[in-house]
Amino acid sequence: SLLQEKMKILARYILAWMGAAGMMNLYFCRINISIALVAMVGVTENNDNDTLEGHCSDRGGDDEESPVVSEGEFDWSPSKQGFLTGSYYYGYTAGQIPVAWLSSKLGFRRVFGFSMLISSLITLLFPVAAKGSFYLAVTARIVLGVFHSVAFPAMAGAWGAWAPPLERTQLNGIVQGGASVGTFLIFTLAGYVADNLGWEAVFYVTGACTLVWVVLWFYLAYDTPGQHPRIDKEEREYIETSLGEANIDRKKLVIPWTSILTSLPVWGIVLGHTASNWGNYTLNQQLATYLTNVLRYSLSFTGLLASLCYLLQWLVCIGASWMTDLIRTKGIMSTINIRKLNTAIGLWVTGALTAIAGYAGCNGELTVALFVLSAGINFFTVPGCKSGTLDIAPSFSGIVFGLSNTVANVPGFVAPQVVGALLTDLSSITQWRTIFWISCGVHIAGSLLYLVKGSDQEQAWAVPVQQKTEVLAKDTKENIDVI
């Protein structure tokens, strides 16, 4: 019946939402250090000169908003804190291309699932590592980054087999939106967990959540529609027909490395992705520190304020991705024009808002509003340049995304070290202003190549070898028929 038809649960959307849940758990375990670290090292007390220009005075009155000054369990300098926060990205960046290749050969289901299983165990053991030594904690975060590096390339590669062309943006948007949900929840809840149960509990809770996801993932996710035991026959045929690749064995595709590495459209995506990540990672890693040490909010209240950034980020990611595919379907704008418009909004407007936030002074409400808008608008890049890999190389989108994510995650360890090097006083607005201007400049510069050389056409080198062989065989047959 028509009602039954409408109520069908499409396997490709189950995969998308399971991918989103995986990203949510990944961000639980990635971002938990940013919140827990404030409790681990304590909050610095304002000096007598804090009422001078460039400093905010303590917030009096409501205990929920006032910071609790404490020494913390660990006496780590700002530079050490920056190194610990950024160490995750050494492993995460180094692993991108190798795991993208591994995922293409073994299938994204197994590689993503087992990597998250090991990641959950590392997270559960992190408090032991931190209490053992600073460098043991750093090592644990580096190894966690290596196993997390599977996630985005694996899911980007999945859509080469699962996403009909006119649904690519929204399916990809659902998955990437999971990162914002994870960040929203960790910022909302981790402060309360740390304040009431201790910083160790932040790692225990996030590690346990990931274990639950792993079980569901192996039950619900499959590498291709043809391998899925419960997919509706009509949906499988629709996906395979729309892709025109039902007989391709993706594990045997020859990867055109040289063409990928020398492609200007690819590097346009890479630089736009990098610029977006610089701003987003700076916000992820430093917002709790800024709101607590500069604006003098409590850790719990800081988590609540910061979570608003990621709620808007998720709404923008889902809404803009859906709207982008609607515009493409109706022919209102070409794919490349809507991608470039989204990229310009996501990088130029975000950069401007970040710079302006540095001049909001001690006005906490205005500062938070600017950061919330900056974080949300940044995710226009998801249906913008970040979805470009699905346009120019759908069969190799995981590999291309792995390259892009390798470069794009350099800010993960560079940005916190820049912050640690430039900040001598964590409560100085003037010093933070420099950080925000650097972020603005990176946003704008990183957008330029994609805006000039970005493409929505499948590149010649991205046509699978099997397809080229089939085309050649077809042409040969037609020539023989003519003769």
Side-chain angles (χ1 to χ4, degrees):
S1 70
L2 181 61
L3 178 61
Q4 289 175 323
E5 191 71 22
K6 288 183 176 180
M7 291 180 66
K8 281 182 181 176
I9 301 176
L10 299 176
R12 61 187 183 275
Y13 283 91
I14 293 176
L15 177 61
W17 286 109
M18 280 305 300
M23 300 307 170
M24 178 185 74
N25 280 282
L26 183 147
Y27 269 69
F28 282 170
C29 299
R30 175 192 290 189
I31 305 297
N32 56 16
I33 189 69
S34 298
I35 305 295
L37 189 60
V38 178
M40 292 166 72
V41 302
V43 179
T44 59
E45 185 174 9
N46 270 346
N47 299 318
D48 292 338
N49 65 349
D50 280 346
T51 56
L52 298 176
E53 182 181 359
H55 294 76
C56 298
S57 58
D58 283 334
R59 294 178 181 272
D62 191 348
D63 288 338
E64 281 195 16
E65 296 189 18
S66 301
V68 178
V69 177
S70 61
E71 292 183 0
E73 186 173 340
F74 303 94
D75 184 20
W76 294 335
S77 66
S79 60
K80 269 193 168 185
Q81 294 176 47
F83 183 57
L84 177 60
T85 303
S87 61
Y88 169 96
Y89 295 93
Y90 287 107
Y92 188 75
T93 302
Q96 292 292 318
I97 295 177
V99 299
W101 175 83
L102 189 65
S103 181
S104 72
K105 298 303 178 184
L106 299 180
F108 69 87
R109 177 177 180 263
R110 281 187 292 174
V111 175
F112 190 14
F114 282 116
S115 70
M116 290 294 282
L117 173 62
I118 296 171
S119 298
S120 68
L121 300 178
I122 295 171
T123 302
L124 290 168
L125 292 172
F126 180 79
V128 177
K131 293 178 181 181
S133 75
F134 172 77
Y135 292 103
L136 193 58
V138 168
T139 301
R141 293 293 294 180
I142 292 173
V143 175
L144 178 66
V146 171
F147 284 100
H148 274 178
S149 65
V150 170
F152 282 99
M155 289 308 302
W159 300 130
W162 277 95
L166 290 177
E167 296 180 32
R168 288 171 179 164
T169 309
Q170 55 187 309
L171 287 167
N172 187 50
I174 290 171
V175 173
Q176 297 218 19
S180 299
V181 174
T183 311
F184 165 72
L185 291 174
I186 198 72
F187 269 112
T188 302
L189 302 175
Y192 290 100
V193 172
D195 279 347
N196 294 288
L197 300 177
W199 63 266
E200 298 94 337
V202 175
F203 297 95
Y204 298 148
V205 171
T206 52
C209 287
T210 304
L211 279 177
V212 173
W213 174 87
V214 169
V215 175
L216 294 174
W217 171 257
F218 279 114
Y219 178 71
L220 295 170
Y222 291 86
D223 287 319
T224 66
Q227 293 176 7
H228 200 303
R230 295 178 297 277
I231 189 173
D232 183 78
K233 180 181 178 182
E234 184 180 346
E235 181 188 5
R236 188 188 73 239
E237 291 176 350
Y238 168 68
I239 294 172
E240 292 177 346
T241 301
S242 67
L243 295 175
E245 301 173 1
N247 297 319
I248 286 181
D249 185 349
R250 294 180 175 277
K251 296 178 182 179
K252 295 182 180 179
L253 292 180
V254 178
I255 301 170
W257 291 106
T258 301
S259 298
I260 291 172
L261 293 171
T262 56
S263 170
L264 283 180
V266 167
W267 284 103
I269 293 168
V270 170
L271 294 180
H273 190 174
T274 302
S276 172
N277 278 11
W278 183 285
N280 202 40
Y281 287 170
T282 299
L283 201 67
N284 285 349
Q285 296 165 353
Q286 307 301 333
L287 186 57
T289 300
Y290 187 82
L291 294 179
T292 305
N293 287 280
V294 176
L295 297 181
R296 313 304 294 173
Y297 287 115
S298 71
L299 183 56
S300 296
F301 197 69
T302 288
L304 182 61
L305 293 177
S307 68
L308 297 175
C309 297
Y310 304 101
L311 175 60
L312 181 60
Q313 209 172 64
W314 180 76
L315 292 173
V316 168
C317 186
I318 298 297
S321 295
W322 173 81
M323 184 61 69
T324 294
D325 274 350
L326 181 64
I327 289 171
R328 294 169 63 219
T329 301
K330 292 184 175 294
I332 298 172
M333 292 179 71
S334 67
T335 297
I336 189 58
N337 285 338
I338 188 62
R339 296 245 190 269
K340 288 182 177 181
L341 176 61
N342 287 337
T343 299
I345 294 172
L347 294 178
W348 287 62
V349 176
T350 296
L353 290 171
T354 302
I356 293 170
Y359 295 89
C362 298
N363 187 330
E365 293 78 8
L366 177 58
T367 301
V368 170
L370 290 168
F371 280 136
V372 168
L373 288 173
S374 175
I377 292 173
N378 182 298
F379 262 46
F380 269 93
T381 57
V382 171
C385 59
K386 290 181 180 178
S387 290
T389 61
L390 299 171
D391 298 327
I392 67 172
S395 295
F396 300 101
S397 54
I399 297 293
V400 177
F401 195 91
L403 169 64
S404 181
N405 222 21
T406 297
V407 181
N409 278 284
V410 170
F413 54 83
V414 172
Q417 292 188 52
V418 169
V419 172
L422 294 179
L423 290 182
T424 58
D425 181 358
L426 291 176
S427 63
S428 170
I429 295 176
T430 306
Q431 291 185 19
W432 279 97
R433 202 170 284 159
T434 302
I435 304 301
F436 299 150
W437 271 113
I438 291 174
S439 183
C440 178
V442 170
H443 275 80
I444 293 173
S447 70
L448 299 179
L449 184 59
Y450 186 79
L451 295 178
V452 175
K453 291 292 185 180
S455 174
D456 63 345
Q457 300 300 306
E458 183 173 3
Q459 303 297 291
W461 50 262
V463 178
V465 169
Q466 286 124 311
Q467 281 192 2
K468 287 181 179 177
T469 303
E470 289 167 3
V471 169
L472 180 60
K474 181 179 178 182
D475 289 344
T476 302
K477 183 179 184 301
E478 288 177 352
N479 290 335
I480 291 173
D481 290 342
V482 169
I483 293 172

